[in-house]
Amino acid sequence: MTTLTTTTPPEAPPERPLRPSRSPVADTTFRLVSLACGLAVLVILVLIAVSTTRRALPAFRAEGLGFVTSRRWAPAEGEFGALAFIYGTLVISALALVLAVPVSVGMALFLTQVAPRRLRQLVGYLIDLLAAVPSVVYGLWGIIVLAPAVTGFYSSIADVFSGVPLLGRFLGGPASGRSFFTAGLILALMITPIITAISREVFDTVPAGQKEAALALGATRWEMIRGAVFPWSKAGVVGGVMLGLGRAMGETIAAALVIGSNPQITANLFAPGDAMAAVIANQFGEAAGTHRAALIGLGVVLFVITILVNVAARAVVGRNAETVLGVAR
Amino acid sequence: MTRRPTPWRLLGVLLAFTLVGAACGDGDNTPEGNAADEETATTGQLEASPTSEPATGPSDDELAAATLNASGATFPEEFYAQAIDGFKEDQPNVTVNYQGVGSGAGRQALADQLVDFAGSDATVDEEDVAGFKGGEFLYFPTVAAPITVAYNLSGVDELNLSPEAIAGIFSRTITTWNDPAIAADNAGATLPATPIVVAHRAESSGTTDNFTSYLEAAAPDAFTLEPGSTVEWPADTQAGQGNSGVAQIVSSTAGAIGYVDLSDANATNLSVASVRNAAGEFVEPTTEAATAALEEVEVEADLSYDPLNAPGAEAYPITAPTWIIAYKNQPDAAKGNALKAFLGYVLGDAQEEAAEIDYAPLPDNLRERALAQIDQLVVSQ
Amino acid sequence: MSAAISSSSGAAAAAAPGGGRAFGVAKVGGTRRTKDRLATGLMGLALLVVAVPLGLVVFYVAQKGLAIFGIDFLTEDIPRDRVEGPGMGPAVVGTLLITAAATAMAVPLGVLGAVYVNEYGGKSRLARLIRFMGDVMSGVPSIVMGLFVYSVWVLQTGEYTGFAGSLALACLMLPIVIRATEGMLRLVPDDLREGSYALGARKSRTILTVVLPAALPGITSGCLLAVARAAGETAPLLFTIGIVRETNARLFDGTNTALSAQIFANANSPFQGAQERAWGAAFTLIALVVALSVLARVVASHFTVR
């Protein structure tokens, strides 16, 4: 009655219908299979990096550093300077961030700190669903509805700002429906759900104790947000913003449709421009030889930039990475 | 982690929405395309053309199943689409897929042997010939059409433009609509001071090649850009994808001007300018004027020709040619025979419907030479 | 303690120049209150600023898309641009086929790869490298994936096929699947594993019969999101699948088309018919993607073992 059986039988008790335990061979096989799959991921990525860089080499060799510093892109004459496209990608991504971040963070704050529970859940769902809308649909809407409609709007703004010293250069000048600004708008629309979703998650992780302590000290809600929520969630929000940035930079179709396809470096945001991913999509089909290598080279440059942004995002977010960023993409 | 409520309600709403939509959608849709297809079906049999017999191809025999993939110019895209539908009635076992990606992309795809034939508004450059992996290739002219100079200027329904004016506009030396160079040819009209917005192609385009070659030939002093499939356009111009992309820009931007094939210009309801031809007449871009331009044309041995800036009082000066380019050697028997039959259809029955959709059919002599060339395709058995 | 309260109320009074005197219970002074109200107003405004355009887009697409949507739309061949009327059957079939094939390639590879990294790899350098590479891969722009598959597959095989598109989409889905699986596997408590080992099961059996089932709802949910993303992508398909106007249900033979590719192709068309079909395709695609996302949510919340 008080003695304990100390040995554990290797076989399961006969009543329980248990499958026979696997042989060592099956176990090792499974381990090898999963190792192979893990390695496959490595191999695929290395293959992408190597094959694209190799095909881009002729263009890099021909242009040298001029590939990224020269502004002149003239395939017919064998000149490939990508600066205008790099500029375009950076401009529309920056614009998208400027437009999207305040609004997304504000909305996330509203949902987590202010809104009643039911509204929060409903809007939360809608935001997550909107994050799934394909970019080509935004592009379609942009080119058919938005671009024609905003030309007049841009012209009015341009008229207002035309004399003004600094803003006049950015917002003055001849306005076009297909321009940096329209591309930035569409991208902002696209990345808002991502940034909102991540910010929401991050704001939710702020310990209630911190918030309550602030409120207990007599803070208004806004002061509580500034004092308790922001410091805690800064890293997470920044990480989310950078993921949104990465998404905006790699976006091809929506930007290609509304950016205007005119490679130029100009401060005027209402002017047409071009971006790396967009020009690849537009010109790759017809390209041969060095032109094709140059376009693949653009892809490599874009690849490198977005990797840097993504890696930096993960570094900034740190420990929160897996839980917080799981909603993205 | 709190448990989120299951969104069954949302799912249910979505399903209901879709079902309602499907139910409503069904009732409203009348496929109008069927009517047009029936018309082509009645004339679908390959018949002898009035002045000559078809030079080649199986007649009413059904071909073995085959799929022809093609890509290239957007200029003739509508014509080929209609020809493909008509050809399907004749030969139900053959499927032809044509993707409008621009002449340059089409030629490149053919060079890489990713497609069975290419549509191109321009001939292949000397230095690119070696890149064609399938060996020797042939040009088959198919249609021609006016390249319109389309514009968007409210209150101005008719516009006369000289080659010098057009060249100046696209070189950005003329930047407003009330410029004297334009006003000189338009005595009756009041031209506003609106800035001109120039629209052109974003990708390599045969239409661009033809348009800029015309300007170079007709107004060499006024046109400062280098002609070609890809042009280094001045800053503050706009680019669109395909002829339709340019049409869309012109249609949605006040003061815009662009070069668009007639089919797209009409579909977008654009105003088009009358251009002064080599004989000094201002001619509207119509299929009749295009046919007039083709009458006098000199055709080379490889069936390439240049109808730009054609002589003749009624000729429209910016009439552009287009070809189907295919390899002479067809290793796949089914595809080779299908190609021959398709070319025979394009140069036969399809020509009769070309004018309806704003394309000019080929003049008889050119058409016959093209039909004869089909025999040169070597199909392995 | 009263001293503490009075000093903090003094502090509160000092911090509230508008005249607020006490300790959270009493009224907040003018400027602070205004700021608070303003902030709340701005946050609410942010909600509107986001909701309105996004709502507009979806509403517009739904309105235009529903006008042409129907059984005919989903099954008939695609008419040429000029012709009006429904017909996107080939694109629907193409999207389903190509996405399904991509899923069949990406999911097993990604799940097993994540199993290796999390269960076998642990802290080893290889595991960390694979994890890092998975993250890096998620940053590759979709157009570069398309170029990659074009260079190494399409040019080598000499033809555009639906399968080439599947390859490109699978490359896109892989990092998402890996990340989702890894996250879920990590959440499975070690107790479950230890209990299984204690019963004499080997590692592979533990993984297959205990760990994976426990993580399955989350993994499924993550995979469904990856599928939704892949179904909506256009850029990887641009240079890989070509085009058709009749249904091609063969993945390895002949060109194909997809809803996203058709939307892109029709976006520039001036013809009414083509534009209407583009909206219909956009609606169909959104409906598909939303359905998958909702399903992902349902699976995640309903079936999770707690």
Side-chain angles (χ1 to χ4, degrees):
Chain A
M1 271 82 349
T2 52
T3 52
L4 294 169
T5 329
T6 51
T7 52
T8 327
E11 255 69 28
E15 310 85 81
R16 278 202 285 160
L18 215 55
R19 269 170 282 170
S21 75
R22 288 171 196 262
S23 69
V25 173
D27 191 56
T28 325
T29 315
F30 182 77
R31 186 203 157 98
L32 285 178
V33 166
S34 50
L35 172 62
C37 291
L39 286 177
V41 173
L42 265 184
V43 165
I44 292 176
L45 185 68
V46 166
L47 203 60
I48 294 178
V50 164
S51 83
T52 48
T53 313
R54 204 166 54 89
R55 280 165 220 273
L57 275 180
F60 290 145
R61 253 186 245 128
E63 296 287 329
L65 204 59
F67 188 73
V68 290
T69 56
S70 155
R71 340 173 126 198
R72 191 159 175 255
W73 181 273
E77 295 175 35
E79 280 211 31
F80 300 104
L83 194 61
F85 304 112
I86 299 176
Y87 175 79
T89 302
L90 292 177
V91 163
I92 61 177
S93 308
L95 196 54
L97 279 189
V98 164
L99 292 172
V101 169
V103 163
S104 307
V105 171
M107 179 155 146
L109 278 177
F110 184 82
L111 286 178
T112 52
Q113 314 299 333
V114 177
R117 191 188 180 83
R118 236 182 260 154
L119 183 64
R120 182 189 314 179
Q121 281 165 358
L122 177 64
V123 177
Y125 269 139
L126 291 179
I127 291 296
D128 287 345
L129 290 184
L130 284 170
V133 171
S135 60
V136 67
V137 174
Y138 285 114
L140 179 70
W141 183 78
I143 198 180
I144 292 189
V145 178
L146 188 69
V150 291
T151 316
F153 176 61
Y154 291 164
S155 298
S156 327
I157 298 187
D159 289 336
V160 166
F161 283 111
S162 56
V164 178
L166 190 64
L167 280 174
R169 290 192 60 204
F170 288 114
L171 297 175
S176 149
R178 300 177 187 209
S179 55
F180 290 117
F181 203 87
T182 312
L185 267 180
I186 293 284
L187 287 183
L189 270 185
M190 279 174 54
I191 65 177
T192 297
I194 300 173
I195 301 181
T196 308
I198 294 179
S199 305
R200 244 188 342 129
E201 294 271 336
V202 173
F203 293 148
D204 270 340
T205 64
V206 175
Q210 298 268 352
K211 297 198 282 189
E212 286 162 10
L215 289 172
L217 284 171
T220 60
R221 180 161 48 208
W222 173 239
E223 289 163 353
M224 176 269 287
I225 293 175
R226 271 178 52 200
V229 177
F230 275 168
W232 187 271
S233 47
K234 219 183 287 189
V237 170
V238 169
V241 166
M242 292 177 88
L243 270 187
L245 174 64
R247 177 84 191 265
M249 293 178 90
E251 181 43 51
T252 312
I253 298 299
L257 286 173
V258 300
I259 197 172
S261 303
N262 185 352
Q264 57 171 342
I265 300 185
T266 166
N268 180 11
L269 293 175
F270 292 144
D274 215 341
M276 288 188 273
V279 73
I280 297 174
N282 280 341
Q283 292 189 4
F284 191 77
E286 76 225 18
T290 323
H291 188 186
R292 184 171 277 189
L295 288 171
I296 298 183
L298 276 183
V300 171
V301 171
L302 187 57
F303 185 2
V304 167
I305 298 180
T306 44
I307 288 175
L308 289 175
V309 168
N310 269 298
V311 169
R314 294 199 166 270
V316 165
V317 172
R319 220 181 308 157
N320 284 334
E322 289 78 34
T323 41
V324 163
L325 299 176
V327 292
R329 302 175 156 264
Chain B
M1 191 155 65
T2 54
R3 190 186 175 117
R4 295 204 194 105
T6 61
W8 291 115
R9 223 182 292 164
L10 198 57
L11 188 61
V13 166
L14 272 174
L15 275 175
F17 206 36
T18 312
L19 287 173
V20 168
C24 292
D26 255 354
D28 293 337
N29 289 318
T30 50
E32 292 162 28
N34 286 341
D37 283 344
E38 274 164 28
E39 280 175 35
T40 55
T42 52
T43 58
Q45 299 304 313
L46 267 178
E47 36 185 60
S49 61
T51 53
S52 71
E53 292 176 357
T56 182
S59 47
D60 298 331
D61 300 343
E62 282 219 348
L63 291 171
T67 305
L68 293 173
N69 291 319
S71 69
T74 55
F75 188 76
E77 195 173 357
E78 278 313 296
F79 173 70
Y80 291 146
Q82 182 153 298
I84 289 170
D85 282 350
F87 184 62
K88 188 77 182 172
E89 308 278 332
D90 261 11
Q91 297 286 354
N93 293 334
V94 177
T95 304
V96 183
N97 297 313
Y98 183 87
Q99 196 176 17
V101 290
S103 301
R107 292 193 297 268
Q108 186 56 42
L110 186 65
D112 289 330
Q113 290 184 293
L114 289 172
V115 291
D116 301 308
F117 66 89
S120 176
D121 303 335
T123 53
V124 179
D125 285 340
E126 266 309 311
E127 60 252 24
D128 295 331
V129 173
F132 279 71
K133 298 184 189 153
E136 202 186 327
F137 51 83
L138 300 170
Y139 294 106
F140 291 90
T142 52
V143 275
I147 299 180
T148 67
V149 180
Y151 64 94
N152 179 342
L153 205 54
S154 60
V156 180
D157 294 324
E158 289 186 14
L159 190 66
N160 292 332
L161 288 175
S162 62
E164 292 77 21
I166 303 176
I169 291 173
F170 281 87
S171 307
R172 297 294 281 166
T173 52
I174 298 176
T175 52
T176 50
W177 280 105
N178 59 354
D179 192 289
I182 306 177
D185 296 316
N186 292 283
T190 16
L191 297 169
T194 328
I196 304 182
V197 178
V198 170
H200 56 80
R201 295 286 288 274
E203 76 279 23
S204 164
S205 148
T207 316
T208 306
D209 196 9
N210 287 320
F211 182 69
T212 51
S213 300
Y214 162 74
L215 290 177
E216 177 78 2
D221 299 320
F223 191 60
T224 58
L225 307 173
E226 192 67 29
S229 298
T230 314
V231 173
E232 254 187 290
W233 297 99
D236 62 278
T237 53
Q238 296 205 30
Q241 281 277 317
N243 273 286
S244 18
V246 176
Q248 236 188 34
I249 297 178
V250 174
S251 146
S252 58
T253 316
I257 189 170
Y259 54 93
V260 183
D261 68 300
L262 185 61
S263 178
D264 281 297
N266 282 343
T268 325
N269 288 319
L270 296 175
S271 310
V272 294
S274 300
V275 181
R276 197 184 67 211
N277 65 10
E281 300 291 325
F282 285 97
V283 181
E284 281 183 25
T286 58
T287 48
E288 292 80 18
T291 309
L294 293 174
E295 303 280 286
E296 310 290 323
V297 93
E298 261 187 51
V299 181
E300 311 286 333
D302 62 354
L303 299 191
S304 64
Y305 64 100
D306 184 2
L308 295 170
N309 213 17
E314 287 165 33
Y316 181 71
I318 328 182
T319 300
T322 190
W323 296 271
I324 284 181
I325 310 180
Y327 284 113
K328 187 167 173 180
N329 281 319
Q330 294 288 325
D332 184 321
K335 285 198 182 201
N337 289 323
L339 180 61
K340 283 187 160 187
F342 180 66
L343 285 171
Y345 185 85
V346 166
L347 292 164
D349 291 325
Q351 297 283 314
E352 292 165 32
E353 291 141 13
E356 285 165 23
I357 49 173
D358 303 322
Y359 291 92
L362 299 175
D364 282 332
N365 53 343
L366 182 56
R367 193 168 63 84
E368 281 157 39
R369 284 177 66 178
L371 279 170
Q373 195 183 236
I374 299 180
D375 278 339
Q376 289 188 35
L377 292 171
V378 177
V379 180
S380 357
Q381 296 309 321
Chain C
M1 190 141 124
S2 53
I5 294 177
S6 50
S7 66
S8 42
S9 64
R21 28 184 181 82
F23 191 52
V25 179
K27 279 203 163 100
V28 168
T31 7
R32 288 175 61 206
R33 183 188 217 164
T34 323
K35 272 194 208 166
D36 183 52
R37 288 238 175 106
L38 187 63
T40 311
L42 283 177
M43 290 190 279
L45 188 65
L47 182 64
L48 279 180
V49 167
V50 170
V52 168
L54 286 175
L56 269 181
V57 174
V58 176
F59 182 70
Y60 196 89
V61 171
Q63 185 189 36
K64 288 242 160 185
L66 278 174
I68 198 172
F69 193 76
I71 296 296
D72 281 345
F73 183 78
L74 293 174
T75 53
E76 292 207 356
D77 289 344
I78 305 175
R80 58 185 190 276
D81 280 5
R82 192 173 269 269
V83 168
E84 301 192 16
M88 271 283 165
V92 173
V93 169
T95 295
L96 292 175
L97 198 63
I98 294 173
T99 313
T103 310
M105 289 189 281
V107 167
L109 206 60
V111 168
L112 286 176
V115 160
Y116 174 77
V117 166
N118 200 52
E119 303 292 319
Y120 289 103
K123 301 267 187 223
S124 77
R125 210 180 297 161
L126 182 61
R128 272 187 292 148
L129 185 63
I130 295 177
R131 197 179 286 132
F132 178 69
M133 285 304 184
D135 286 346
V136 165
M137 209 167 151
S138 67
V140 176
S142 49
I143 185 93
V144 175
M145 291 294 190
L147 292 187
F148 166 65
V149 173
Y150 175 82
S151 306
V152 307
W153 184 268
V154 175
L155 279 184
Q156 307 311 325
T157 58
E159 49 177 355
Y160 297 114
T161 50
F163 183 69
S166 300
L167 281 177
L169 288 183
C171 289
L172 213 60
M173 288 172 66
L174 200 55
I176 309 176
V177 171
I178 291 177
R179 185 186 309 167
T181 310
E182 239 215 301
M184 288 303 130
L185 287 177
R186 200 174 298 177
L187 288 178
V188 173
D190 276 337
D191 302 351
L192 290 178
R193 293 187 184 85
E194 284 163 14
S196 177
Y197 297 146
L199 286 171
R202 294 190 185 272
K203 194 159 190 176
S204 60
R205 185 169 164 212
T206 305
I207 295 174
L208 285 172
T209 61
V210 174
V211 180
L212 277 181
L216 199 58
I219 295 177
T220 313
S221 166
C223 290
L224 283 171
L225 288 176
V227 174
R229 170 88 192 274
E233 281 288 338
T234 317
L237 302 177
L238 281 181
F239 309 117
T240 47
I241 64 173
I243 203 169
V244 287
R245 282 199 280 129
E246 296 170 12
T247 306
N248 179 9
R250 300 181 311 261
L251 192 65
F252 294 92
D253 182 16
T255 55
N256 218 318
T257 190
L259 286 169
S260 50
Q262 282 295 322
I263 296 172
F264 184 58
N266 285 1
N268 270 312
S269 177
F271 298 105
Q272 190 66 6
Q275 283 193 8
E276 283 169 5
R277 284 189 290 277
W279 290 114
F283 175 74
T284 312
L285 196 55
I286 291 186
L288 178 67
V289 157
V290 163
L292 285 170
S293 306
V294 167
L295 191 61
R297 234 173 225 273
V298 164
V299 166
S301 56
H302 200 69
F303 293 105
T304 305
V305 172
R306 301 222 184 254

